Amino acid sequence: MPLSHIDAPLLFIEIKVQGASSAGYAKKNYNIKLFTTADYTEKLKAKMKKGWGKESKYCLKANYVDFSQARNVVSAQIFGDIVASRGLEDELSKAPNGGAIDGFPVLVYNEGDFLGLYTLNIPKDKWM
């Protein structure tokens, strides 16, 4: 999904390779942070998927070593649905997607070059 739909005067993105062991792979995982200023001081909080809150940090997962890992978001959604169906008021039930990862597939391009199929995920962060 292009980020052009985000309502902001300008969008600046900080991209960092995620993980030490996977950094040597041809297709990498990335942490992305969204900003409204070129000096990266003003965070842009954007809602990337229905049911998600507005956040400024997301992950792009390459699923390079095992492409079937792209199914992780489907399995996590099933888990989240099970947690929600229990009708409890515990911490797990209040967490996004029942405390599991959540994401969706995206096609990634860099300056016109196709980098492949990734998943855009919420990060394992303190707000989770």
Side-chain angles (χ1 to χ4, degrees), residues 39-71:
D39 63 357
Y40 302 104
T41 57
E42 299 293 324
K43 292 179 181 180
L44 171 65
K45 293 200 173 222
K47 185 179 200 175
M48 297 292 191
K49 181 181 172 187
K50 183 180 178 182
W52 289 5
K54 288 185 175 184
E55 295 299 328
S56 63
K57 182 179 174 185
Y58 294 94
C59 299
L60 280 172
K61 294 293 192 177
N63 306 305
Y64 178 70
V65 175
D66 179 2
F67 69 90
S68 68
Q69 287 181 346
R71 290 181 248 177

